Amino acid sequence: MQQTRARRTRRAILDAAAEVFGRQGYDGTALSDILEAAGVTKGALYFHFTSKRQVAEVVLEEEAAQWAGLASRAQQGAPGLQGLIDFSFAVARHIQGSPVAHAGVRLRRDGSGFSGPWGAPEESCAALGRGFLRRARTDRELRGGVDCDAAADTVVAAVIGAQLLDERVPGGPALEDRISAVWRLLLPGIVPESRSADYRVTAPEPLAEDGDAAGREAPTGPAAYGPVS
């Protein structure tokens, strides 16, 4: 019973920290903000964590596990270019819907010096994107001369930019509509004209539950996002 209570307390602290870090950033968050949001005492927090920074680092570790799970599910979906399109929607949906993922984006964006063995999901998403595009090139889906590295970086930048617009410019198109618009613009530049209508550029059904994956065992670090073969 005591161990169950301790696990629940730890979970409440991490959930609250993700919400507050995502909203206020690391420097803008006081330890008292996390305590208030979690409904726990300072002693309870220090039983599980040594500092606010350690709380943030564990949130980032959980973010890495979530991204690893998302990447694994993506590789079980469609191959090639359609796989990358579907993955871009899954990434946008995940950032929008997971407090842990949103907190991770904010913590790194704020320049608070966070780094670690989990790597940067943005870089890992680009690596996975290059794998999808190499498969697409092998299957002759792409125009001749398409630079897979540059195309993957462009997709990641576009998805992150669409998420920022959705977050900071209220009243505009829905996030998934923005991603659809990105692909309608990109496809003519990377696929032969005869194939431009072969791809679905609307959001697919989720590959699996794309919400909070905290507590699930998953590989972490850049290797977890390895390229699609």
Side-chain angles (χ1 to χ4, degrees):
M1 180 67 72
Q2 189 172 2
Q3 288 181 343
T4 300
R5 188 181 301 115
R7 285 195 297 269
R8 289 176 177 170
T9 298
R10 186 178 189 274
R11 183 73 264 149
I13 292 167
L14 290 171
D15 289 345
E19 292 281 359
V20 179
F21 286 142
R23 184 172 63 250
Q24 299 174 194
Y26 182 79
D27 291 336
T29 296
L31 202 59
S32 59
D33 296 329
I34 298 174
L35 298 176
E36 181 179 357
V40 302
T41 65
K42 184 181 291 187
L45 186 144
Y46 280 118
F47 178 80
H48 295 281
F49 305 100
T50 60
S51 63
K52 181 181 79 168
R53 188 168 190 87
Q54 188 188 37
V55 175
E57 289 174 346
V58 174
V59 168
L60 287 168
E61 289 171 358
E62 292 198 342
E63 180 207 23
Q66 289 188 11
W67 282 109
L70 187 69
S72 177
R73 294 192 294 275
Q75 293 182 81
Q76 297 169 22
L81 187 54
Q82 187 63 61
L84 178 57
I85 294 170
D86 293 347
F87 181 57
S88 70
F89 281 103
V91 167
R93 181 184 287 139
H94 181 63
I95 294 174
Q96 186 180 55
S98 167
V100 168
H102 190 256
V105 171
R106 180 67 187 270
L107 286 168
R108 285 187 302 278
R109 186 190 303 156
D110 286 351
S112 299
F114 287 102
S115 61
W118 48 82
E122 297 86 354
E123 295 175 6
S124 302
C125 286
L128 187 61
R130 288 191 288 273
F132 278 118
L133 288 165
R134 284 195 291 270
R135 171 67 180 270
R137 183 171 57 195
T138 298
D139 292 344
R140 302 184 185 278
E141 295 183 71
L142 304 181
R143 289 179 180 271
V146 169
D147 184 329
C148 292
D149 289 359
D153 288 346
T154 298
V155 171
V156 171
V159 171
I160 293 173
Q163 189 271 333
L164 281 173
L165 285 173
D166 183 72
E167 177 184 331
R168 300 187 180 186
V169 183
L175 178 57
E176 291 180 347
D177 292 337
R178 294 184 191 275
I179 302 299
S180 293
V182 165
W183 281 110
R184 291 191 184 98
L185 289 170
L186 287 180
L187 279 179
I190 62 176
V191 302
E193 185 175 356
S194 61
R195 301 204 58 172
S196 60
D198 292 351
Y199 303 96
R200 173 182 38 75
V201 294
T202 55
E205 291 298 315
L207 294 171
E209 184 179 343
D210 285 334
D212 189 0
R216 300 178 187 175
E217 292 186 5
T220 59
Y225 309 87
V228 178
S229 57

